[in-house]
Amino acid sequence: RALLWLGPVYLAGYLGLSGSWVLLGLALWLCWGHNRRWKRDRLAAAFALLEDEREAVCRGLAARHLPAWVHFPDVERVEWLNKVLIQAWPYFGTIMEKTFKEVLEPKIRAKNIHLKTCTFTKIHFGEKCPRINGIKVYTKEISRRQVILDLQICYIGDCEIHMDIAKFNLGVKGIQLYGTLRVILEPLLTDPPFIGAVTLFFMQKPHLEINWAGMSNLLDVPGINVMSDSLIQDFIAARLVLPNRITVPLKKNMNIAHLRFPIPHGIIRVYLLEAENLVQKDSFLGAIRGKSDPYALLRLGTVQYRSKTVSRDLNPIWNETFEFVVHEVQGQDLEVDLYDEDPDKDDFMGSLLINLVDVKNDRTVDEWFPLSKTTSGHLHLKLEWLSLVNDQEKLHEDKKGLSTAILIVYLDSAFNLPKNHFEYSNGECGAKKIKNNKYLKKTEREPSSFVLLTVGNKTQKSKTCNFSKDPTWGQAFTFFVHSAHSQSLHIEIKDKDRDSALGTAVVCLSHLLKDPNMTLDQRFQLDHSSSDSFIKMKLVLRALNVEEPDPQRVKAGINASKQGPVRVMENGGNQQKFVSPPNSEVSEVSSVSKDTATLESLPKKDSREDLDTNDSSAAPVPCEIVAALNETEHEQNPELCPSSALPARAVAVPTLPLLQELRLAPSVTSLGSLPSSCFELSSSNLDLPNGTEMPLGEIQLTVRYASVRQSLVVLVNGCRNLVPSSNRGVDPYVRIYLLPDRRWASRKKTSVKKKTLNPQYDEKFEFFESLEDVKKRTLDIAVKNSRPFISQERKELGKVRIDLSQEDLIKGFAQW
């Protein structure tokens, strides 16, 4: 064996090659061995999880190995289904072995003359069967005639498949596959089999690792392994990843075309605006930190866009627009990753995950999002949900050059294609131009055709149908349309072997406008082809419509903190009236009754809800004040801004003199980039001391849960009427804990305000926890005095605790 290893070294010296060739070969061999060991270790860890899940979880395996039900409470465990799979797996393996031998092997041999010796020498699917780590069932916002299931599939197989081709042994000796498989059962029927068809597809590209055997081990060589893995994943994505689907009819004569190619749910338009405070990734000599060259990758399903690169800037401005077709809303996310462009390998700078359900509900979102998986950085995005409508009035051309419609092309089949490009006009010029007998035999074969579809400057290619004059493609394509009245769809059918055109066609999109449904489903005559050559397609045109947010809807998504015009009370002599702040986009609240009898009939509130008990002589006036005007309004019109945000279900009764002194704090989102944002209020029963007085003062807080960012947002607006702890004055600040976590690293702290008993902070803090976890926690808020070192002054000025399990955090609340 030692002589065998030294053989290449001796051969290099014998041929007079440089020693660098030996070093290069040694480096490649070491990298290959490292990759093999790394893959075997991960396979062993996955097997350990499969053998004893409880022990593996307790040992703290990597998070990606943990089952889905650990992280998501709405995912159900299905151990009974896994037991069924274990029992049925040997029989499934027997069926697959027979399929490989009798079906797959003849097809491989017929593909190419060099594959005629292909033979499967060993087919064994092993003892390890696929496992379903969890199932999520969707029951809301879907049709009652369907059932949607998301299966967390994990297959760590010990299968062995070996194949011989011309004395070369190729094979697979183990596979890892895990991803989210969506299963749609529709339509539901009233007679057996009760389900019309089953549709299967992966929401994202599944993770795949293959342990090669035989000559296939060369695919693990560095450089080649990345290429081979990506090719295999692209092959799977082209058939099994959304928008591609597999639909299996369960009932005879079931039309499954609309199930295989449904009309998309909508379009999401992403405005990538800017970022700030990004992490510095570039460095010189390993010590001197420099600026980075950031760019963004936006991904939805299999569609990915890359932004331009902004050189040497940690606060880049892109101002770019991207559009994505949304085929499934439930369970699909928009992914945004930021990278620093480098000559060798791009450095990761942070990521962002946005739930499409929230964007669809809020319709328009303009917000600064904090980046995850990094230490700092925020990304400013504007998101618009565009619905697809059958309205020709919406097809006006956009002045900014954005898309106004979407064209959906269902490519069905073609008929009587010519065998070659000489066979035009009934083949009148065919025999004259062919002189080579060898070429004549080639042209007599049936064509292997594919279709190129072009709208504007975008071209898409169909799959290839081999050796058929009547090919059937069965694919769907989508194109963004800027001007439906002037643009056209260009179709070109080409032969793969001879790269020649077999026919063309042009369809003006204005023809679709003549149909009330903007749909054409027919055969189209092919030009530059035989006289009886046709292509069958279905064309659907839909206008893009940006819907205005519903002001009456209680928002529970990204814009849960957004509300509309607030009306503020102003004291003008003996009359009370409402004054609407300028430039506010908020909804009106109910007016105050001027009838004094109504005022006297109001029930007396608990002392905890009174804002001012000292001035008891003033006449009480009921009000419902919505919190959170933007900062601009706050600066321009401080006299119009009340500070208390009182709940609708427990209306406070403040006195009139007090209302003139109150100021309204900005909302959570207005601190990012959302002016004129307001809050819908709910009650928050804080544990205030009993009695009619509040000797320690008050603090105003705004709390909500941001479902998109998966974080609890706490806005500290300000304090009032604090008690001085010394004669030299008070320098207050606010400290926040999310109990029971009292770690120093998780503590949140505001800035210190000097020498004031009524500090204004307007600072926002976020705790990145799941909603279920937050519901079990308690907010611990303390106002403290920043005293000198070794001082005898009292440090803590007051404290309040909020039990979050009693609050509607999605709706949010704001209160003193």
Side-chain angles (χ1 to χ4, degrees), residues 485-502:
H485 296 86
S486 59
Q487 288 188 280
S488 302
L489 170 66
H490 296 262
I491 305 109
E492 184 179 13
I493 304 178
K494 304 190 75 173
D495 189 351
K496 180 191 71 172
D497 296 330
R498 295 179 288 275
D499 196 24
S500 58
L502 302 177

PDB file of all heavy atoms in Angstrom, residues 485-502:
ATOM      1  N   HIS A 485     -51.633  46.802 -24.191  1.00  0.00           N
ATOM      2  CA  HIS A 485     -52.173  47.224 -25.481  1.00  0.00           C
ATOM      3  C   HIS A 485     -51.138  47.152 -26.593  1.00  0.00           C
ATOM      4  O   HIS A 485     -51.500  47.075 -27.776  1.00  0.00           O
ATOM      5  CB  HIS A 485     -52.723  48.652 -25.382  1.00  0.00           C
ATOM      6  CG  HIS A 485     -53.884  48.780 -24.453  1.00  0.00           C
ATOM      7  ND1 HIS A 485     -53.721  48.995 -23.092  1.00  0.00           N
ATOM      8  CD2 HIS A 485     -55.227  48.705 -24.662  1.00  0.00           C
ATOM      9  CE1 HIS A 485     -54.910  49.063 -22.512  1.00  0.00           C
ATOM     10  NE2 HIS A 485     -55.841  48.895 -23.444  1.00  0.00           N
ATOM     11  N   SER A 486     -49.847  47.164 -26.266  1.00  0.00           N
ATOM     12  CA  SER A 486     -48.825  47.210 -27.305  1.00  0.00           C
ATOM     13  C   SER A 486     -47.887  46.009 -27.307  1.00  0.00           C
ATOM     14  O   SER A 486     -47.223  45.759 -28.315  1.00  0.00           O
ATOM     15  CB  SER A 486     -47.986  48.486 -27.151  1.00  0.00           C
ATOM     16  OG  SER A 486     -47.366  48.520 -25.872  1.00  0.00           O
ATOM     17  N   GLN A 487     -47.802  45.246 -26.219  1.00  0.00           N
ATOM     18  CA  GLN A 487     -46.858  44.127 -26.161  1.00  0.00           C
ATOM     19  C   GLN A 487     -47.443  42.870 -26.782  1.00  0.00           C
ATOM     20  O   GLN A 487     -48.669  42.737 -26.926  1.00  0.00           O
ATOM     21  CB  GLN A 487     -46.434  43.856 -24.717  1.00  0.00           C
ATOM     22  CG  GLN A 487     -45.504  44.921 -24.158  1.00  0.00           C
ATOM     23  CD  GLN A 487     -44.953  44.529 -22.799  1.00  0.00           C
ATOM     24  OE1 GLN A 487     -45.632  44.667 -21.783  1.00  0.00           O
ATOM     25  NE2 GLN A 487     -43.714  44.053 -22.774  1.00  0.00           N
ATOM     26  N   SER A 488     -46.540  41.925 -27.136  1.00  0.00           N
ATOM     27  CA  SER A 488     -46.939  40.679 -27.789  1.00  0.00           C
ATOM     28  C   SER A 488     -46.189  39.515 -27.175  1.00  0.00           C
ATOM     29  O   SER A 488     -45.113  39.680 -26.576  1.00  0.00           O
ATOM     30  CB  SER A 488     -46.654  40.737 -29.294  1.00  0.00           C
ATOM     31  OG  SER A 488     -47.333  41.815 -29.906  1.00  0.00           O
ATOM     32  N   LEU A 489     -46.772  38.327 -27.346  1.00  0.00           N
ATOM     33  CA  LEU A 489     -46.138  37.072 -26.949  1.00  0.00           C
ATOM     34  C   LEU A 489     -45.559  36.411 -28.195  1.00  0.00           C
ATOM     35  O   LEU A 489     -46.286  36.144 -29.159  1.00  0.00           O
ATOM     36  CB  LEU A 489     -47.156  36.146 -26.274  1.00  0.00           C
ATOM     37  CG  LEU A 489     -46.700  34.707 -26.019  1.00  0.00           C
ATOM     38  CD1 LEU A 489     -45.572  34.664 -24.994  1.00  0.00           C
ATOM     39  CD2 LEU A 489     -47.863  33.828 -25.562  1.00  0.00           C
ATOM     40  N   HIS A 490     -44.246  36.162 -28.191  1.00  0.00           N
ATOM     41  CA  HIS A 490     -43.562  35.526 -29.319  1.00  0.00           C
ATOM     42  C   HIS A 490     -43.272  34.066 -28.962  1.00  0.00           C
ATOM     43  O   HIS A 490     -42.679  33.786 -27.910  1.00  0.00           O
ATOM     44  CB  HIS A 490     -42.269  36.254 -29.646  1.00  0.00           C
ATOM     45  CG  HIS A 490     -42.471  37.668 -30.113  1.00  0.00           C
ATOM     46  ND1 HIS A 490     -42.487  38.028 -31.440  1.00  0.00           N
ATOM     47  CD2 HIS A 490     -42.689  38.820 -29.409  1.00  0.00           C
ATOM     48  CE1 HIS A 490     -42.692  39.328 -31.542  1.00  0.00           C
ATOM     49  NE2 HIS A 490     -42.818  39.839 -30.324  1.00  0.00           N
ATOM     50  N   ILE A 491     -43.685  33.158 -29.835  1.00  0.00           N
ATOM     51  CA  ILE A 491     -43.485  31.722 -29.624  1.00  0.00           C
ATOM     52  C   ILE A 491     -42.591  31.182 -30.728  1.00  0.00           C
ATOM     53  O   ILE A 491     -42.822  31.465 -31.919  1.00  0.00           O
ATOM     54  CB  ILE A 491     -44.824  30.952 -29.612  1.00  0.00           C
ATOM     55  CG1 ILE A 491     -45.772  31.545 -28.568  1.00  0.00           C
ATOM     56  CG2 ILE A 491     -44.597  29.486 -29.361  1.00  0.00           C
ATOM     57  CD1 ILE A 491     -46.926  32.286 -29.144  1.00  0.00           C
ATOM     58  N   GLU A 492     -41.580  30.410 -30.341  1.00  0.00           N
ATOM     59  CA  GLU A 492     -40.686  29.782 -31.313  1.00  0.00           C
ATOM     60  C   GLU A 492     -40.430  28.345 -30.869  1.00  0.00           C
ATOM     61  O   GLU A 492     -39.954  28.103 -29.757  1.00  0.00           O
ATOM     62  CB  GLU A 492     -39.371  30.541 -31.421  1.00  0.00           C
ATOM     63  CG  GLU A 492     -38.450  29.974 -32.495  1.00  0.00           C
ATOM     64  CD  GLU A 492     -37.146  30.734 -32.621  1.00  0.00           C
ATOM     65  OE1 GLU A 492     -36.849  31.549 -31.714  1.00  0.00           O
ATOM     66  OE2 GLU A 492     -36.423  30.533 -33.614  1.00  0.00           O
ATOM     67  N   ILE A 493     -40.757  27.395 -31.754  1.00  0.00           N
ATOM     68  CA  ILE A 493     -40.510  25.976 -31.490  1.00  0.00           C
ATOM     69  C   ILE A 493     -39.227  25.582 -32.200  1.00  0.00           C
ATOM     70  O   ILE A 493     -39.081  25.802 -33.412  1.00  0.00           O
ATOM     71  CB  ILE A 493     -41.685  25.101 -31.973  1.00  0.00           C
ATOM     72  CG1 ILE A 493     -42.990  25.576 -31.329  1.00  0.00           C
ATOM     73  CG2 ILE A 493     -41.428  23.646 -31.648  1.00  0.00           C
ATOM     74  CD1 ILE A 493     -44.208  24.785 -31.784  1.00  0.00           C
ATOM     75  N   LYS A 494     -38.295  24.996 -31.427  1.00  0.00           N
ATOM     76  CA  LYS A 494     -36.987  24.653 -31.991  1.00  0.00           C
ATOM     77  C   LYS A 494     -36.689  23.178 -31.761  1.00  0.00           C
ATOM     78  O   LYS A 494     -37.214  22.549 -30.828  1.00  0.00           O
ATOM     79  CB  LYS A 494     -35.889  25.508 -31.366  1.00  0.00           C
ATOM     80  CG  LYS A 494     -36.117  27.020 -31.504  1.00  0.00           C
ATOM     81  CD  LYS A 494     -34.903  27.810 -31.101  1.00  0.00           C
ATOM     82  CE  LYS A 494     -33.831  27.746 -32.163  1.00  0.00           C
ATOM     83  NZ  LYS A 494     -32.698  28.658 -31.866  1.00  0.00           N
ATOM     84  N   ASP A 495     -35.825  22.655 -32.632  1.00  0.00           N
ATOM     85  CA  ASP A 495     -35.371  21.268 -32.530  1.00  0.00           C
ATOM     86  C   ASP A 495     -34.063  21.248 -31.761  1.00  0.00           C
ATOM     87  O   ASP A 495     -33.108  21.960 -32.115  1.00  0.00           O
ATOM     88  CB  ASP A 495     -35.183  20.681 -33.925  1.00  0.00           C
ATOM     89  CG  ASP A 495     -34.922  19.179 -33.877  1.00  0.00           C
ATOM     90  OD1 ASP A 495     -34.726  18.654 -32.768  1.00  0.00           O
ATOM     91  OD2 ASP A 495     -34.919  18.553 -34.942  1.00  0.00           O
ATOM     92  N   LYS A 496     -33.995  20.457 -30.723  1.00  0.00           N
ATOM     93  CA  LYS A 496     -32.812  20.432 -29.865  1.00  0.00           C
ATOM     94  C   LYS A 496     -31.586  19.915 -30.605  1.00  0.00           C
ATOM     95  O   LYS A 496     -30.491  20.478 -30.484  1.00  0.00           O
ATOM     96  CB  LYS A 496     -33.090  19.545 -28.638  1.00  0.00           C
ATOM     97  CG  LYS A 496     -31.909  19.456 -27.677  1.00  0.00           C
ATOM     98  CD  LYS A 496     -32.119  18.387 -26.639  1.00  0.00           C
ATOM     99  CE  LYS A 496     -32.016  16.990 -27.276  1.00  0.00           C
ATOM    100  NZ  LYS A 496     -32.019  15.924 -26.248  1.00  0.00           N
ATOM    101  N   ASP A 497     -31.742  18.857 -31.415  1.00  0.00           N
ATOM    102  CA  ASP A 497     -30.595  18.229 -32.064  1.00  0.00           C
ATOM    103  C   ASP A 497     -30.010  19.103 -33.167  1.00  0.00           C
ATOM    104  O   ASP A 497     -28.793  19.150 -33.375  1.00  0.00           O
ATOM    105  CB  ASP A 497     -30.992  16.856 -32.627  1.00  0.00           C
ATOM    106  CG  ASP A 497     -31.377  15.896 -31.516  1.00  0.00           C
ATOM    107  OD1 ASP A 497     -30.830  16.034 -30.402  1.00  0.00           O
ATOM    108  OD2 ASP A 497     -32.238  15.031 -31.751  1.00  0.00           O
ATOM    109  N   ARG A 498     -30.860  19.804 -33.917  1.00  0.00           N
ATOM    110  CA  ARG A 498     -30.369  20.553 -35.082  1.00  0.00           C
ATOM    111  C   ARG A 498     -30.422  22.062 -34.866  1.00  0.00           C
ATOM    112  O   ARG A 498     -30.022  22.810 -35.750  1.00  0.00           O
ATOM    113  CB  ARG A 498     -31.198  20.167 -36.311  1.00  0.00           C
ATOM    114  CG  ARG A 498     -31.008  18.707 -36.699  1.00  0.00           C
ATOM    115  CD  ARG A 498     -31.857  18.348 -37.888  1.00  0.00           C
ATOM    116  NE  ARG A 498     -33.275  18.259 -37.573  1.00  0.00           N
ATOM    117  CZ  ARG A 498     -33.865  17.172 -37.093  1.00  0.00           C
ATOM    118  NH1 ARG A 498     -33.149  16.083 -36.862  1.00  0.00           N
ATOM    119  NH2 ARG A 498     -35.152  17.150 -36.843  1.00  0.00           N
ATOM    120  N   ASP A 499     -30.935  22.495 -33.685  1.00  0.00           N
ATOM    121  CA  ASP A 499     -31.008  23.915 -33.352  1.00  0.00           C
ATOM    122  C   ASP A 499     -31.661  24.716 -34.476  1.00  0.00           C
ATOM    123  O   ASP A 499     -31.189  25.790 -34.865  1.00  0.00           O
ATOM    124  CB  ASP A 499     -29.615  24.467 -33.052  1.00  0.00           C
ATOM    125  CG  ASP A 499     -29.700  25.822 -32.334  1.00  0.00           C
ATOM    126  OD1 ASP A 499     -30.736  26.074 -31.695  1.00  0.00           O
ATOM    127  OD2 ASP A 499     -28.749  26.602 -32.449  1.00  0.00           O
ATOM    128  N   SER A 500     -32.725  24.188 -35.003  1.00  0.00           N
ATOM    129  CA  SER A 500     -33.436  24.837 -36.103  1.00  0.00           C
ATOM    130  C   SER A 500     -34.868  25.108 -35.673  1.00  0.00           C
ATOM    131  O   SER A 500     -35.431  24.395 -34.831  1.00  0.00           O
ATOM    132  CB  SER A 500     -33.415  23.967 -37.353  1.00  0.00           C
ATOM    133  OG  SER A 500     -33.988  22.698 -37.084  1.00  0.00           O
ATOM    134  N   ALA A 501     -35.464  26.148 -36.277  1.00  0.00           N
ATOM    135  CA  ALA A 501     -36.829  26.526 -35.943  1.00  0.00           C
ATOM    136  C   ALA A 501     -37.812  25.635 -36.682  1.00  0.00           C
ATOM    137  O   ALA A 501     -37.700  25.409 -37.886  1.00  0.00           O
ATOM    138  CB  ALA A 501     -37.065  27.982 -36.297  1.00  0.00           C
ATOM    139  N   LEU A 502     -38.796  25.107 -35.950  1.00  0.00           N
ATOM    140  CA  LEU A 502     -39.841  24.275 -36.543  1.00  0.00           C
ATOM    141  C   LEU A 502     -41.143  25.038 -36.710  1.00  0.00           C
ATOM    142  O   LEU A 502     -42.086  24.492 -37.284  1.00  0.00           O
ATOM    143  CB  LEU A 502     -40.083  23.036 -35.664  1.00  0.00           C
ATOM    144  CG  LEU A 502     -38.865  22.144 -35.419  1.00  0.00           C
ATOM    145  CD1 LEU A 502     -39.224  21.008 -34.472  1.00  0.00           C
ATOM    146  CD2 LEU A 502     -38.333  21.588 -36.724  1.00  0.00           C
TER     147      LEU A 502
END
